[in-house]
Amino acid sequence: MDIKPLFGLGGVLIAAMTSEFNDQVAAIALRDVSGALGISHDSQTWIESLYVSAQIVGMAFSPWLLVTFTLRRWTIFAIALCGTSSMLIPFSPNIEAIYALRLLQGLAGGLIIPLLMTTALRVLTPNIRLYGLAVYALSATFTPALAATLSAFWTDMVGWRFVFFQTIPLCSLAGVLVWYCLDQDQPKYERLRMLNWRGALLLVTGTGALSTLLYQGDRLDWFNSSLICVLALVSAIAIPLFLVNEWFHPLPFLKLQMLGRRNIAYGALGLFIFLIIGQSGSSVPLRYLQDVQGYRPVQSNLITLEIAAVQLAMLPSMALLLDYKWVGPRVVSLIGLAMILASCIGSSFLTVYWNRDQFYLWQLFQAVGQPMVIMPLLMMTTNSVTNPAEGPFAAALVNTLRAVAEATSVWLLALIDRWRGALHFNRIIDQAGQDRWRVIQGNQVLPQYPPPLTPDGHPRMPNSLRAFGHAVEQQVAILSRSDTFLILGALTVCMMVVVMTLPVRTVPPRVLFTKR
């Protein structure tokens, strides 16, 4: 086998990881970046929202465009866009320029990530396809987990500008590998005459409105905001029209007919649920340590670094294991989901005394379980992709849902915090009010827990009521995070039911394609 295309695949992998760093590292370091650039809280929420909106559009468009302009040329263009847009952000003169560059950055990320799956399906023979899927899985599990460590390194040790400058060497290396190692195909410019302009307009409008709705809804108080109402109406109209258009268009961006194949439908649904669980499960401990214990990224990154390190060993191991015909992918998936469920249940017992050390064991369960779930999912999804020409369509379906899952996980966490946080706050305040003379105002019954007010209503010490309010907020945050882990555990159980009930092909690609 010619190893030159493998180096090209490595270049696409580096580009995909770079685009994920643009997303995840910037999100974790956003407070430091916003402080350095003088950006307010409301404005910084748009920095995240615009990135994800553009990323969804890019993931849907990229497979269609790579067939038109060829894989090598389109990959080089996407890498150049990624590097240029990232490099210019620290020099932005105003917030509008940052928004524009962040949109381009998200678009570049969306353009790059589907290229990784497409290149793997094209370059790798059935004998080693599973290892190519492990390469793709790195961008979904390894890179987000490594982002916290990189964010801590840049912001606390080097300088916040390197959150964006990190793309320069990575994109340069990726571009060189792609240029010299991927074969040049013949472009198909005649496809431009059949450009699905109606679908493009509906996709940009519908997914942009939906992702903005999911990101900004909680901050703007949902349907009490006229903007959110308009966005909900636009997405409710544009997305169904887009799906109808894609079904009947002769050259669509998303070939929805492929969802009629059980393996692809199963993979799309399974990956969507899994990515919500995985992304949320990794971010919740970081949010707890940041909000409750006051950790900086440099103090909390070790728990996600543990996940990243385990992925490097587990993903190729899973590819090797699943390559044996006697290994049941469903069984592997169920074991992995059981470990993720154990991680969620164990983490739900967190208290005010938990710090980084208490999360190591449960994050280890998460780290081992994720590769055991995603590798069988990818294998069963690609079992139905028998023709290399179908690779871009499969990549478009899987990766578009992947981007939507990121926005959905943000919405889910915000919704849990809002609903469960309000419930716990009301209950704590209600109980404190009913037992006021012991909890808030009264004699010091327990020396270690003095009430903030004396019996005559004066503060027991300066700012004692403020300290009591902080303690209440702290407990609300802890209880909300605990509920979040339990809800993620319930989603994991739902996914276990999906794994057990949906009939799909579970034969390794090496065996499946040899029979054909």
Side-chain angles (χ1 to χ4, degrees):
M1 179 182 176
D2 184 11
I3 65 170
K4 187 177 178 181
L6 297 181
F7 285 99
L9 176 61
V12 182
L13 172 62
I14 294 172
M17 293 176 65
T18 304
S19 68
E20 283 290 332
F21 289 148
N22 281 342
D23 181 11
Q24 303 294 332
V25 174
I28 296 171
L30 189 57
R31 289 187 179 181
D32 294 272
V33 174
S34 299
L37 294 175
I39 301 173
S40 66
H41 174 267
D42 289 350
S43 298
Q44 70 179 254
T45 62
W46 286 101
I47 294 177
E48 294 184 76
S49 175
L50 291 171
Y51 184 97
V52 174
S53 298
Q55 186 181 48
I56 296 173
V57 173
M59 285 188 176
F61 284 170
S62 186
W64 191 95
L65 293 168
L66 78 87
V67 175
T68 305
F69 295 102
T70 75
L71 176 61
R72 189 173 75 163
R73 291 178 181 174
W74 186 246
T75 305
I76 292 294
F77 168 79
I79 292 173
L81 181 63
C82 176
T84 304
S85 59
S86 301
M87 180 180 63
L88 293 176
I89 288 180
F91 305 107
S92 301
N94 50 50
I95 190 65
E96 290 78 14
I98 294 176
Y99 288 160
L101 290 171
R102 193 64 174 162
L103 270 172
L104 292 176
Q105 200 180 39
L107 180 63
L111 296 177
I112 290 173
I113 292 175
L115 301 177
L116 181 59
M117 177 178 283
T118 304
T119 307
L121 293 175
R122 175 184 295 193
V123 168
L124 301 176
T125 62
N127 290 336
I128 57 173
R129 176 182 282 189
L130 275 172
Y131 296 94
L133 297 178
V135 169
Y136 172 79
L138 282 172
S139 69
T141 57
F142 169 76
T143 308
L146 186 61
T149 300
L150 276 179
S151 175
F153 181 70
W154 297 135
T155 56
D156 292 343
M157 298 182 183
V158 181
W160 66 269
R161 290 179 177 85
F162 284 84
V163 169
F164 306 101
F165 289 163
Q166 67 183 352
T167 60
I168 298 173
L170 294 174
C171 286
S172 299
L173 177 60
V176 170
L177 289 174
V178 169
W179 180 261
Y180 285 103
C181 299
L182 284 185
D183 295 332
Q184 176 61 51
D185 303 325
Q186 286 296 323
K188 300 179 181 178
Y189 297 131
E190 65 276 5
R191 289 164 54 92
L192 295 173
R193 300 192 190 98
M194 300 178 64
L195 178 63
N196 184 9
W197 62 267
R198 187 181 295 107
L201 180 61
L202 290 170
L203 175 68
V204 172
T205 304
T207 59
L210 177 63
S211 60
T212 305
L213 166 73
L214 296 176
Y215 261 89
Q216 301 292 337
D218 188 69
R219 182 178 69 87
L220 298 177
D221 198 20
W222 290 104
F223 295 105
N224 291 320
S225 166
S226 57
L227 175 62
I228 295 299
C229 293
V230 172
L231 291 174
L233 180 63
V234 170
S235 59
I237 295 174
I239 292 178
L241 289 177
F242 168 72
L243 297 177
V244 172
N245 178 80
E246 295 303 286
W247 184 271
F248 292 104
H249 198 278
L251 204 60
F253 296 113
L254 301 179
K255 194 172 183 180
L256 299 178
Q257 288 82 352
M258 294 184 70
L259 293 175
R261 305 177 191 180
R262 292 176 300 188
N263 280 51
I264 294 180
Y266 164 78
L269 176 62
L271 280 171
F272 180 78
I273 300 175
F274 167 76
L275 289 172
I276 292 175
I277 297 170
Q279 292 177 4
S280 302
S282 299
S283 64
V284 174
L286 295 179
R287 294 177 61 186
Y288 165 81
L289 292 173
Q290 180 179 351
D291 296 343
V292 177
Q293 303 296 356
Y295 275 38
R296 289 278 300 160
V298 72
Q299 298 169 297
S300 59
N301 77 92
L302 291 180
I303 59 175
T304 54
L305 185 60
E306 177 187 25
I307 296 178
V310 173
Q311 304 303 305
L312 289 178
M314 285 293 297
L315 286 171
S317 300
M318 286 297 103
L320 179 64
L321 180 65
L322 292 169
D323 206 27
Y324 291 98
K325 186 177 179 180
W326 52 268
V327 175
R330 290 176 185 273
V331 176
V332 175
S333 294
L334 288 173
I335 295 174
L337 287 169
M339 300 191 76
I340 293 175
L341 179 60
S343 171
C344 293
I345 294 175
S347 299
S348 69
F349 290 100
L350 81 168
T351 67
V352 71
Y353 302 107
W354 276 42
N355 54 39
R356 183 181 62 198
D357 297 339
Q358 281 69 41
F359 282 105
Y360 281 136
L361 174 62
W362 304 118
Q363 289 300 96
L364 179 62
F365 277 89
Q366 186 86 218
V368 174
Q370 285 185 10
M372 299 180 71
V373 177
I374 194 169
M375 282 301 296
L377 271 174
L378 291 173
M379 188 192 84
M380 290 185 276
T381 302
T382 56
N383 271 355
S384 291
V385 183
T386 58
N387 185 350
E390 294 181 329
F393 290 111
L397 285 171
V398 170
N399 287 286
T400 301
L401 286 175
R402 171 180 169 175
V404 175
E406 181 177 347
T408 305
S409 67
V410 171
W411 161 79
L412 179 64
L413 293 181
L415 188 68
I416 295 171
D417 278 350
R418 185 183 180 90
W419 285 1
R420 300 302 297 176
L423 175 66
H424 293 308
F425 182 81
N426 288 336
R427 286 182 172 179
I428 290 174
I429 294 300
D430 183 62
Q431 290 297 318
Q434 292 183 25
D435 202 7
R436 174 185 174 186
W437 300 109
R438 185 168 64 91
V439 176
I440 301 177
Q441 181 179 352
N443 291 316
Q444 189 169 343
V445 180
L446 298 176
Q448 65 272 35
Y449 299 115
L453 301 180
T454 60
D456 58 0
H458 292 91
R460 190 172 296 276
M461 59 187 69
N463 298 320
S464 58
L465 271 180
R466 182 178 298 177
F468 178 77
H470 175 71
V472 170
E473 293 175 356
Q474 192 178 56
Q475 288 301 317
V476 168
I478 292 170
L479 292 171
S480 299
R481 301 297 184 271
S482 177
D483 291 344
T484 301
F485 282 117
L486 292 176
I487 293 172
L488 293 177
L491 281 177
T492 305
V493 172
C494 294
M495 189 169 175
M496 295 174 76
V497 173
V498 172
V499 170
M500 289 187 293
T501 56
L502 281 182
V504 293
R505 291 173 178 169
T506 59
V507 181
R510 173 177 54 82
V511 177
L512 180 65
F513 289 98
T514 300
K515 289 181 178 180
R516 291 177 178 171

